[in-house]
Amino acid sequence: MKSFRLRKETVLAYSFLAPILLFYTIFLVIPVLFSFVISLTEWGGFDLESMTFVGLDNYRAIFASGSTFLQPILTNTFVFAFGTVALSFVSAMLISFLVTRLRWQGLWRSIYFLPAVTTIVAIGNVWLYIYNPSNGILNEFLKMIGLKPVNFLDNPDIALWAVIAVSGWMGIGGAVLILTAGLKAIPQDYYEAASLEGAGMWRLYFSITLPLLRPTMLLVLITSFISGLQSFTLTLVMTRTGGPGNSTNVGALEMYNQAFSFGNWGIASAMAFVLFIIIFIITTIQLTVFRRGGVESY
């Protein structure tokens, strides 16, 4: 009787999960498997009958000597991701720490979150005007303090960093929202007990705040880094096909160009799976480093 009831509950549970599992299979599992099949073929993206199986030739091509995928595209991708995460995370840590000590916290969080809910195309075009070498706001400021105008997006040495600055600024709001929630979840009893023992502000921050905030920091770092590795819209808007000398061309943008501009869907899919493996490895490392921490571990 007990086994029959357990079996009945199991069937009932799977029947409730069936719609979600079906949706997951149709819109995620099948497309991923189909993308892997495409990565082993030469295909223009239109007629399935024209698909030609080439095995691992696409993977060999993107790692071959002289391929632009490793240098500069993959290098740009890592620089862009690390630069964006470093700028947004450090800024968000400082801002969230200050916001939790100010009045009208909801107002400040909303203000910092506005870029995250604004269309990337709109933000990119606004910053195009700010970076404009002739009459942009930033160059006008440089002129006011006696410096020469800088052609931010046409200089291959600084174009990528100019885009990173915008992407990092965009990511601050979402990180602030999550980090402030994590800070507010830390019980005040820890701080009060440590203060009675004579702990100062920095001691409280490094001995209580950071260890208990570790799971929240892990969430922000993983989501931000994955977003940075997958980003291409901002680069496309601000530098079109990859900037001067491919200086701003990143992995996702190159996949877009290979698939939709050049019709090389096999190459684009192979690049996507290489990037997936890289993201998986880095995420695993992050989970290992930040495995311990949080209120529940104390």
Side-chain angles (χ1 to χ4, degrees):
M1 185 67 178
K2 185 177 180 180
S3 60
F4 174 77
R5 184 183 304 170
L6 182 61
R7 195 180 308 114
K8 183 179 179 181
E9 291 176 354
T10 303
V11 171
L12 183 62
Y14 276 107
S15 66
F16 281 117
L17 290 173
I20 299 299
L21 293 175
L22 181 63
F23 182 89
Y24 181 84
T25 302
I26 293 174
F27 292 101
L28 182 63
V29 176
I30 293 177
V32 168
L33 294 177
F34 184 61
S35 297
F36 180 71
V37 172
I38 293 175
S39 72
L40 303 175
T41 66
E42 183 178 323
W43 186 46
F46 296 101
D47 187 5
L48 288 175
E49 294 181 356
S50 65
M51 187 179 293
T52 305
F53 182 78
V54 294
L56 299 176
D57 286 355
N58 290 327
Y59 293 93
R60 295 191 188 99
I62 62 179
F63 287 109
S65 177
S67 171
T68 58
F69 181 71
L70 293 179
Q71 177 63 33
I73 294 172
L74 201 58
T75 302
N76 290 343
T77 304
F78 279 109
V79 172
F80 181 86
F82 279 110
T84 298
V85 171
L87 178 59
S88 61
F89 181 74
V90 173
S91 301
M93 286 289 289
L94 176 62
I95 293 170
S96 60
F97 179 76
L98 297 175
V99 164
T100 53
R101 282 155 178 76
L102 296 174
R103 298 176 60 188
W104 306 307
Q105 294 180 20
L107 173 64
W108 296 114
R109 286 198 298 267
S110 299
I111 291 174
Y112 281 107
F113 192 67
L114 283 177
V117 296
T118 305
T119 305
I120 296 178
V121 176
I123 290 177
N125 281 291
V126 169
W127 278 90
L128 277 175
Y129 173 71
I130 294 174
Y131 283 145
N132 190 291
S134 301
N135 55 3
I137 297 174
L138 188 54
N139 275 308
E140 289 297 324
F141 174 76
L142 294 177
K143 292 177 185 177
M144 287 175 56
I145 61 177
L147 298 177
K148 294 181 179 180
V150 178
N151 205 338
F152 291 97
L153 298 176
D154 288 330
N155 187 333
D157 294 327
I158 62 175
L160 182 61
W161 297 105
V163 180
I164 287 173
V166 180
S167 181
W169 169 77
M170 287 176 55
I172 292 175
V176 166
L177 201 66
I178 298 172
L179 289 171
T180 51
L183 287 170
K184 292 178 72 68
I186 299 176
Q188 292 299 313
D189 297 345
Y190 295 130
Y191 294 107
E192 293 173 0
S195 298
L196 291 174
E197 296 295 328
M201 182 181 68
W202 292 111
R203 183 67 175 176
L204 292 174
Y205 187 76
F206 286 103
S207 298
I208 297 178
T209 303
L210 286 184
L212 296 182
L213 197 62
R214 191 177 296 176
T216 308
M217 292 165 59
L218 173 64
L219 174 63
V220 172
L221 287 172
I222 289 179
T223 55
S224 300
F225 196 78
I226 292 175
S227 177
L229 289 175
Q230 296 176 335
S231 176
F232 83 98
T233 308
L234 185 65
T235 308
L236 178 65
V237 171
M238 297 186 68
T239 60
R240 305 308 173 192
T241 58
N246 264 344
S247 59
T248 63
N249 197 4
V250 291
L253 179 58
E254 180 65 12
M255 295 173 209
Y256 174 85
N257 289 332
Q258 288 290 338
F260 295 100
S261 298
F262 310 134
N264 297 327
W265 284 75
I267 293 288
S269 297
M271 290 179 177
F273 272 92
V274 170
L275 192 61
F276 165 76
I277 293 172
I278 292 172
I279 292 174
F280 178 79
I281 293 172
I282 293 175
T283 302
T284 303
I285 293 172
Q286 288 177 318
L287 288 170
T288 303
V289 172
F290 287 86
R291 182 169 51 191
R292 290 181 54 80
V295 176
E296 66 277 1
S297 65
Y298 278 72

